[in-house]
Amino acid sequence: MPQFATHASFLLELPSDITDKVIQALTLFKLPKHQFECQIKPLNCPIFKVASFCQTNFENYNPNKPELEFFYQKHKDGLWLSHKDSININDAAFLCFIVLETWNLDTFVVINCSHTSDCKSLNGYGGRTIVVTKFKIEEFRVHKWVNQKRIAHNKIIQATKDLNHAT
């Protein structure tokens, strides 16, 4: 059975002080739920807010053994996100959204990712781009673009055939 993976590596541009706060939030997120709840933080604390939103919204969150399905590392221009095997691109995009919204940042994040397979497979490959701002997460999938191009191509071919039959 083929194994599918999503690959991406991108920078969430942030000021250094906010990068440090996001790393604190992700460290807090990785605590088991009972330890997390013992960390008494005011609900309006941005670090606590980010960690809580991640727990609430990350796809495969396990309160007993919380894990991130992406790597993060401090970079001189912000936070670098990636994964060596298969990144959970939805969680990574959601983290970007929550951070931008929480600190009211005007950063424009572009995440290009590829979908691959470890064996030859018809339609086993593809990609998408995700754009994240403090307002929303938008997704652009390559297969949708290709289908739009195919439809436009078929219309031109049909119009050419119709024109040839008319003459």
Side-chain angles (χ1 to χ4, degrees), residues 9 12 20 72 74 84 133 135 139 144-145 161:
S9 178
L12 170 55
D20 292 337
Y72 61 91
K74 187 170 183 173
K84 67 177 179 152
T133 67
F135 303 111
E139 177 179 79
K144 288 183 182 179
W145 178 80
K161 287 180 182 178

Side-chain angles (χ1 to χ4, degrees), residues 129-147:
T129 296
I130 300 171
V131 175
V132 184
T133 67
K134 65 184 175 185
F135 303 111
K136 62 184 170 180
I137 299 172
E138 289 185 283
E139 177 179 79
F140 173 80
R141 291 185 179 253
V142 173
H143 76 274
K144 288 183 182 179
W145 178 80
V146 169
N147 284 337

Side-chain angles (χ1 to χ4, degrees), residues 24-166:
Q24 287 177 322
L26 292 173
T27 302
L28 186 61
F29 164 83
K30 291 190 289 185
L31 292 174
K33 185 98 172 147
H34 66 281
Q35 289 180 3
F36 177 84
E37 290 172 348
C38 291
Q39 299 284 328
I40 304 301
K41 304 280 181 187
L43 289 176
N44 63 355
C45 170
I47 295 169
F48 186 77
K49 176 185 173 186
V50 169
S52 297
F53 272 63
C54 289
Q55 285 183 343
T56 304
N57 293 285
F58 278 4
E59 291 178 332
N60 300 316
Y61 174 65
N62 176 347
N64 299 317
K65 190 178 178 204
E67 292 182 28
L68 293 171
E69 295 179 83
F70 54 85
F71 297 131
Y72 61 91
Q73 179 178 343
K74 187 170 183 173
H75 182 275
K76 67 179 180 66
D77 296 324
L79 195 65
W80 175 28
L81 291 98
S82 64
H83 200 282
K84 67 177 179 152
D85 294 321
S86 185
I87 189 169
N88 184 322
I89 202 67
N90 296 327
D91 287 356
F94 182 76
L95 173 69
C96 294
F97 172 73
I98 290 300
V99 168
L100 298 179
E101 182 202 44
T102 298
W103 280 282
N104 195 29
L105 300 172
D106 294 326
T107 305
F108 185 87
V109 181
V110 177
I111 306 168
N112 291 307
C113 61
S114 66
H115 305 294
T116 62
S117 173
D118 65 351
C119 68
K120 290 182 181 180
S121 171
L122 186 61
N123 297 323
Y125 308 92
R128 62 181 160 156
T129 296
I130 300 171
V131 175
V132 184
T133 67
K134 65 184 175 185
F135 303 111
K136 62 184 170 180
I137 299 172
E138 289 185 283
E139 177 179 79
F140 173 80
R141 291 185 179 253
V142 173
H143 76 274
K144 288 183 182 179
W145 178 80
V146 169
N147 284 337
Q148 290 171 346
K149 294 299 179 186
R150 180 178 289 121
I151 290 167
H153 171 77
N154 289 341
K155 285 181 181 178
I156 291 170
I157 297 300
Q158 188 60 48
T160 303
K161 287 180 182 178
D162 292 346
L163 185 61
N164 288 337
H165 281 97

